[in-house]
């Protein structure tokens, strides 16, 4: 707006303030993130997220809003990036948070033969990682007969013939 004395009046828009993503978690369905981004002027904000390869920086996925979910295709290190734009078009500097994605535990074991009522010997062929729980069942009946890294399954009574031994591994991030 021009003024009579030659001065010009300008309107300066505030930059949105980005609060680091308020929650970043790895779940069975992927990486979930939320944000507490705010604008000093109270304007509406648009949140743009990018999931970047933590080694190469290549873009893996994008999303908008909050919360967002990303499902990485492989275990590894990723960077979760947030950029916020306010209603005036002012754009924040990107904020990145590293996220480590772990491979699911491998249920690799073998079982030996046993006589009716005897314990069934178990050999764990590939140990699973820390923070992993193991639940063993017989004939997929969902009744847990043992937990943990066992050397044998308790006696199986009343079953003659072939028996199926199941193992369900769970981590802090799902099954």
């Amino acid at each position: 707006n021009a003024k009579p004395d030659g001065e010009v009046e300008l309107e300066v828009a505030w930059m949105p303030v980005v609060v680091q993503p308020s929650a970043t978690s790895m779940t069975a369905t992927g990486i979930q993130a939320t944000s507490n981004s705010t604008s000093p002027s109270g304007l509406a904000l648009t949140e743009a997220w990018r999931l970047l390869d933590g080694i190469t920086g290549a873009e893996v996925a994008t999303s908008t809003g909050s919360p967002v979910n990303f499902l990485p295709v492989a275990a590894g290190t990723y960077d979760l990036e947030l950029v916020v734009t306010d209603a005036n078009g002012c754009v924040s500097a990107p904020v990145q948070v590293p996220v480590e994605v772990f491979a699911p535990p491998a249920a690799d074991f073998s079982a030996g033969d046993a006589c009716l009522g005897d314990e069934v010997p178990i050999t764990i062929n590939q140990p699973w990682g820390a923070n992993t729980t193991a639940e063993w069942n017989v004939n997929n009946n969902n009744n847990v007969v043992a937990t943990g890294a066992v050397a044998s399954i308790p006696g199986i009574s009343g079953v003659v013939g072939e028996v199926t031994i199941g193992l369900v591994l769970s981590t802090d991030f799902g099954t």
Side-chain angles (χ1 to χ4, degrees):
N1 297 334
K3 296 199 169 228
D5 59 4
E7 293 179 358
V8 176
E9 186 177 295
L10 299 174
E11 181 178 324
V12 178
W14 289 91
M15 286 291 285
V17 175
V18 176
V19 175
Q20 292 244 356
S22 61
T24 304
S25 61
M26 184 63 198
T27 67
T29 57
I31 298 170
Q32 184 177 60
T34 57
S35 166
N36 286 333
S37 301
T38 58
S39 169
S41 59
L43 295 173
L45 300 175
T46 301
E47 297 170 336
W49 299 84
R50 294 189 326 147
L51 185 64
L52 308 170
D53 182 288
I55 306 299
T56 66
E59 186 175 279
V60 176
T62 62
S63 189
T64 58
S66 186
V68 295
N69 288 296
F70 292 107
L71 185 58
V73 295
T77 302
Y78 294 85
D79 289 316
L80 187 61
E81 180 181 272
L82 172 62
V83 174
V84 178
T85 305
D86 72 11
N88 287 327
C90 296
V91 180
S92 71
V95 174
Q96 288 187 355
V97 175
V99 179
E100 184 73 23
V101 176
F102 299 98
D108 185 6
F109 72 96
S110 56
D113 292 334
C115 293
L116 184 63
D118 288 346
E119 292 193 353
V120 178
I122 299 292
T123 302
I124 298 171
N125 301 321
Q126 178 180 349
W128 48 84
N131 300 323
T132 302
T133 58
E135 294 182 341
W136 299 86
N137 65 60
V138 176
N139 288 338
N140 298 318
N141 63 8
N142 294 325
N143 291 330
V144 175
V145 296
T147 59
V150 299
S152 62
I153 298 292
I156 299 170
S157 58
V159 179
V160 177
E162 201 168 286
V163 174
T164 301
I165 296 177
L167 171 60
V168 176
L169 297 177
S170 302
T171 69
D172 295 339
F173 310 117
T175 302

